[in-house]
């Protein structure tokens, strides 16, 4: 009997825009946010199509992978390539007339990805800031979805976009301006950075990730670029010290962790902060956290996901109390990682051991932050692992006390 070939229910091509790899289905609908960056990049570099293949184990999930020539031949005889998509179109042309702009902003909530937990008011404020060409700063605690929200805005506006992680930049001038090189044949020459190209791209959206971790030299360079009255970048190393003007319609979106708990961040310059419209991301409550995890991991037991949301909420509430026993609550990034471990067959106790406990100080034995978090997690573990609540050193210290 001939083997049945599994066909995808959607096919996408990948195109490069700026330094981002965007995926579009056969109806021209952008599916970028549904496919991992690595998968899109590999498809572009390998010059092949991506297909969304349904799960073969009876679950409702699906996965994106390469569409082979054999599968493509079958698709050409099927209705997949010719049938209309039921996905919500996010490739919407942003209007310019004031009345149309207002309508676009106030009807934009449907463009928000389901996986982004952001209330309607703040999403509309974010869209409005992007449409009006504002410099936007996304603030909030680590792991709350700042970068995800910024990328969702990029996808919704469907403009050329560029990404720069300033927190990982060791040489701000090289990243934002360029480098001087020397070759035997050509001598000394200046090579401008990708950032210079980005700011000269009309209507580009430029994401400046981890701005609060950037070196102050980066802030100084960005001062004139972000100032609405100046909007230029001076290439000091180039011949003639050329001045580059920021193109019309360019929007800058920055993300920043602000607060005393972020020891690797710097106190943001007030003059730099004043150049941004601030959009603060909220920490999710228990219900919102549960809804997000259920959406992302529909095949994980709902009780387990509810327990993860409860654990995270308890640590967040505790961290805000006057007599807090932990310095910070568990982030949404951590709960997503923990839920992924549950999906891969780890127990709640095992998942917490590798994803939560290392984030908390174990100094102080039974009075440590880590022990307190262990006690919270243990309330929701029913796998017989309660004997492992404390390690040997903690038990010894408690006994001696």
């Amino acid at each position: 009997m001939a083997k049945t070939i599994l066909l995808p229910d959607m096919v996408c091509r990948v195109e490069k825009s700026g330094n981002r790899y965007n995926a579009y289905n056969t109806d021209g609908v952008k599916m970028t946010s549904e496919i991992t960056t690595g998968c899109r990049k590999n498809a572009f570099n390998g010059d092949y199509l991506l297909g969304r293949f349904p799960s073969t184990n009876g679950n409702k999930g699906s996965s994106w992978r390469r569409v082979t020539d054999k599968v493509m031949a079958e698709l050409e005889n099927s209705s997949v390539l010719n049938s209309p998509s039921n996905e919500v179109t996010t490739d919407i042309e942003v209007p310019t007339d004031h009345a149309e702009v207002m309508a676009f902003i106030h009807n934009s909530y449907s463009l928000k990805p389901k996986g982004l937990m952001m209330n309607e008011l703040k999403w509309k404020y974010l869209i409005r800031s992007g449409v009006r060409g504002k410099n936007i700063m996304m603030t909030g605690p680590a792991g709350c979805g700042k970068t995800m929200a910024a990328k969702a805005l990029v996808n919704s506006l469907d403009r050329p976009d560029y990404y720069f992680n300033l927190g990982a930049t060791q040489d701000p001038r090289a990243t934002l301006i360029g480098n001087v090189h020397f070759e035997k044949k050509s001598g000394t020459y200046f090579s401008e950075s990708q950032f210079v190209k980005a700011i000269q791209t009309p209507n580009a959206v430029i994401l400046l990730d981890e701005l609060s971790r950037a070196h102050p030299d980066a802030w100084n360079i960005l001062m004139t670029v972000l100032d609405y009255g100046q909007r230029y970048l001076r290439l000091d190393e180039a011949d003639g010290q050329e001045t580059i003007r920021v193109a019309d319609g360019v929007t800058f979106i920055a993300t920043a962790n602000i607060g005393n708990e972020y020891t690797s961040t710097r106190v943001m310059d007030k003059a730099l902060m004043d150049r941004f419209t601030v959009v603060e991301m909220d920490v999710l409550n228990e219900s919102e956290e549960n809804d997000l995890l259920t959406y992302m991991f529909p095949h994980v037991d709902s009780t387990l996901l509810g327990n993860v949301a409860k654990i995270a909420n308890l640590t967040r509430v505790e961290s805000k109390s006057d007599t807090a026993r932990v310095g910070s609550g568990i982030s949404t990034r951590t709960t997503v990682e923990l839920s992924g471990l549950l999906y891969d067959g780890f127990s709640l106790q095992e998942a917490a051991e590798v994803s939560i406990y290392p984030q908390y100080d174990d100094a102080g034995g039974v009075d440590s932050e880590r022990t307190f978090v262990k006690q919270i997690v243990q309330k929701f573990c029913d796998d017989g692992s309660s004997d492992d609540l404390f390690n040997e050193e903690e038990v010894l210290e408690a006994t001696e006390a």
Side-chain angles (χ1 to χ4, degrees), residues 47-338:
D47 193 25
Y48 58 79
L49 297 174
L50 289 174
R52 186 174 67 184
F53 291 82
S55 173
T56 57
N57 58 9
N59 293 327
K60 296 181 180 179
S62 59
S63 61
W64 290 91
R65 58 180 185 267
R66 179 174 183 169
V67 176
T68 63
D69 292 340
K70 193 172 184 179
V71 170
M72 197 66 194
E74 289 291 328
L75 285 173
E76 290 174 351
N77 296 322
S78 71
S79 59
V80 173
L81 294 180
N82 301 311
S83 61
S85 169
N86 60 0
E87 297 287 336
V88 176
T89 300
T90 58
D91 262 2
I92 298 178
E93 183 178 350
V94 179
T96 55
D97 179 76
H98 179 59
E100 292 179 346
V101 168
M102 288 180 60
F104 176 79
I105 293 170
H106 292 285
N107 293 321
S108 66
Y109 198 57
S110 62
L111 302 178
K112 184 186 72 68
K114 291 182 179 179
L116 175 62
M117 304 302 288
M118 191 175 189
N119 69 48
E120 186 172 356
L121 173 61
K122 289 194 174 182
W123 173 259
K124 289 179 179 179
Y125 182 46
L126 178 61
I127 289 288
R128 182 263 178 188
S129 300
V131 170
R132 291 302 188 189
K134 302 291 185 180
N135 300 327
I136 304 165
M137 178 174 288
M138 309 294 303
T139 66
C144 69
K146 297 184 295 296
T147 302
M148 183 180 181
K151 290 182 176 179
L153 172 62
V154 170
N155 288 336
S156 298
L157 298 182
D158 191 36
R159 293 174 174 175
D161 56 283
Y162 297 83
Y163 175 86
F164 300 92
N165 189 330
L166 298 183
T169 299
Q170 300 299 318
D171 187 349
R173 297 193 71 81
T175 300
L176 299 176
I177 296 177
N179 269 323
V180 175
H181 301 276
F182 174 78
E183 286 184 0
K184 271 189 175 181
K185 294 181 179 179
S186 57
T188 301
Y189 67 95
F190 173 73
S191 176
E192 68 181 33
S193 68
Q194 180 77 354
F195 182 76
V196 174
K197 175 185 177 183
I199 65 174
Q200 295 180 87
T201 305
N203 299 313
V205 180
I206 300 175
L207 177 56
L208 305 173
D209 209 4
E210 301 284 5
L211 183 62
S212 52
R213 294 180 182 273
H215 191 280
D217 283 352
W219 299 348
N220 292 333
I221 294 170
L222 290 169
M223 283 291 189
T224 57
V225 175
L226 297 169
D227 191 310
Y228 294 117
Q230 301 182 66
R231 302 285 276 184
Y232 72 84
L233 176 65
R234 193 171 183 81
L235 306 185
D236 297 333
E237 285 83 355
D239 291 339
Q241 297 185 343
E242 184 181 2
T243 297
I244 302 297
R245 294 288 173 182
V246 177
D248 293 338
V250 172
T251 297
F252 295 92
I253 308 176
T255 66
N257 295 324
I258 299 176
N260 294 331
E261 65 268 36
Y262 303 110
T263 56
S264 295
T265 63
R266 296 177 169 87
V267 177
M268 295 286 288
D269 187 287
K270 177 63 176 175
L272 184 69
M273 289 285 291
D274 284 344
R275 284 162 165 76
F276 288 96
T277 294
V278 177
V279 179
E280 184 180 28
M281 294 293 293
D282 295 322
V283 177
L284 304 186
N285 59 35
E286 182 183 326
S287 176
E288 292 169 335
E289 193 85 22
N290 191 26
D291 289 345
L292 173 62
L293 298 178
T294 300
Y295 168 74
M296 296 184 69
F297 301 95
H299 309 304
V300 176
D301 182 82
S302 59
T303 301
L304 275 176
L305 294 180
N307 288 343
V308 172
K310 286 183 173 67
I311 291 169
N313 186 63
L314 286 171
T315 62
R316 293 167 188 171
V317 171
E318 177 64 28
S319 69
K320 299 298 182 183
S321 70
D322 294 335
T323 57
R325 284 167 285 182
V326 290
S328 60
I330 296 170
S331 71
T332 295
R333 182 182 292 123
T334 298
T335 63
V336 170
E337 172 63 19
L338 192 148

Side-chain angles (χ1 to χ4, degrees), residues 376-389:
I376 292 178
V377 173
Q378 198 58 54
K379 293 178 182 179
F380 301 93
C381 293
D382 58 359
D383 56 2
S385 59
S386 59
D387 292 339
D388 298 325
L389 175 58

Side-chain angles (χ1 to χ4, degrees), residues 13 22 29 58 97 138 239 313 339 356 374:
R13 72 183 187 284
N22 289 318
V29 177
D97 179 76
M138 309 294 303
D239 291 339
N313 186 63
S339 299
I356 296 179
K374 282 185 176 182

